[in-house]
Amino acid sequence: DQQVKQNSPSLSVQEGRISILNCDYTNSMFDYFLWYKKYPAEGPTFLISISSIKDKNEDGRFTVFLNKSAKHLSLHIVPSQPGDSAVYFCAASGRGSQGNLIFGKGTKLSVKP
Amino acid sequence: GAGVSQSPSNKVTEKGKDVELRCDPISGHTALYWYRQSLGQGLEFLIYFQGNSAPDKSGLPSDRFSAERTGGSVSTLTIQRTQQEDSAVYLCASRLPGSSYNEQFFGPGTRLTVL
């Protein structure tokens, strides 16, 4: 049973517009949430994270929003750039800052020029 | 190097053979993880090493899978009597002690194909 779900396998947006990637989770005990970006034939790269006690974290063009009551988080990229085209994975950490991460299946983002 | 390195980058083997995959974590990172990604799936946790503590093996799918970490640095993942369903990209990650959000840094992976 999937604890972290990314229900959209793909998303296509125009360059300069906002990209919104969504993630749902089932375990209310998760402490941290992380987003990773993955290009083909490379390992995932850490992008941004958020603690379960926050509802927003921003880093440049990337903002992550957390809605604990809905068990939902989203990654906003604005403005989107063609170089953002990649697979984005949502991940959750269930044992504080240790232990394994639990990943969603990913969303493939395509940003068209 | 500055990042996590893995070798080989690609491995093709025949069903029933044993394989060894190697991971060199970032220097100073005491935590080391193995994950695998099958086609169209997310990353699946396999095993976790933290310093000198006993490893967390809860993600290993069968007793054909084992891993060691020597000297607190390099790790080897061994798959015995490989099966076709073992075909996947095997990813290693490491983490700094005391990281705030459990940020893990991944290597490029080893693509294993079992014929």
Side-chain angles (χ1 to χ4, degrees):
Chain A
D1 193 26
Q2 273 192 283
Q3 296 190 66
V4 177
K5 299 178 185 179
Q6 294 177 258
N7 292 319
S8 299
S10 63
L11 174 68
S12 182
V13 300
Q14 207 67 34
E15 180 179 7
R17 306 295 290 269
I18 185 170
S19 296
I20 300 176
L21 298 117
N22 293 304
C23 178
D24 297 294
Y25 60 96
T26 58
N27 188 342
S28 59
M29 301 302 290
F30 286 142
D31 299 295
Y32 302 105
F33 301 91
L34 301 88
W35 285 94
Y36 280 82
K37 173 181 178 178
K38 187 181 184 300
Y39 293 118
E42 295 184 10
T45 303
F46 170 72
L47 198 54
I48 192 169
S49 59
I50 189 167
S51 164
S52 60
I53 62 172
K54 304 278 180 119
D55 55 18
K56 178 181 174 182
N57 187 28
E58 190 172 353
D59 184 2
R61 296 185 298 114
F62 303 92
T63 303
V64 56
F65 295 93
L66 176 62
N67 181 335
K68 285 192 71 176
S69 61
K71 295 193 181 70
H72 177 84
L73 65 156
S74 60
L75 174 68
H76 292 211
I77 307 173
V78 56
S80 301
Q81 300 173 353
D84 296 329
S85 297
V87 177
Y88 289 78
F89 290 98
C90 172
S93 180
R95 282 186 282 166
S97 60
Q98 302 184 49
N100 60 286
L101 296 174
I102 300 166
F103 285 84
K105 291 187 177 183
T107 297
K108 184 175 182 180
L109 174 66
S110 299
V111 180
K112 301 191 182 304
Chain B
V4 177
S5 60
Q6 293 185 245
S7 60
S9 54
N10 280 284
K11 176 72 177 178
V12 180
T13 191
E14 293 179 348
K15 178 181 171 181
K17 297 281 177 94
D18 298 352
V19 295
E20 282 191 354
L21 311 180
R22 177 188 167 105
C23 171
D24 282 90
I26 295 171
S27 177
H29 283 201
T30 55
L32 186 148
Y33 306 79
W34 284 97
Y35 295 84
R36 72 176 176 181
Q37 185 183 14
S38 303
L39 193 62
Q41 301 298 311
L43 280 71
E44 173 191 10
F45 166 68
L46 297 176
I47 189 169
Y48 160 45
F49 296 89
Q50 173 59 65
N52 295 322
S53 303
D56 176 357
K57 303 180 183 179
S58 60
L60 295 178
S62 78
D63 58 9
R64 295 186 296 105
F65 287 73
S66 62
E68 290 186 344
R69 188 175 186 193
T70 53
S73 181
V74 170
S75 177
T76 302
L77 177 70
T78 301
I79 309 173
Q80 295 179 312
R81 305 181 303 282
T82 51
Q83 303 293 312
Q84 288 182 332
E85 61 261 29
D86 299 335
S87 296
V89 176
Y90 288 81
L91 292 154
C92 175
S94 68
R95 175 176 56 78
L96 261 175
S99 65
S100 301
Y101 292 90
N102 199 6
E103 307 101 298
Q104 297 175 16
F105 296 86
F106 285 83
T110 294
R111 180 174 295 278
L112 174 66
T113 304
V114 182
L115 301 177

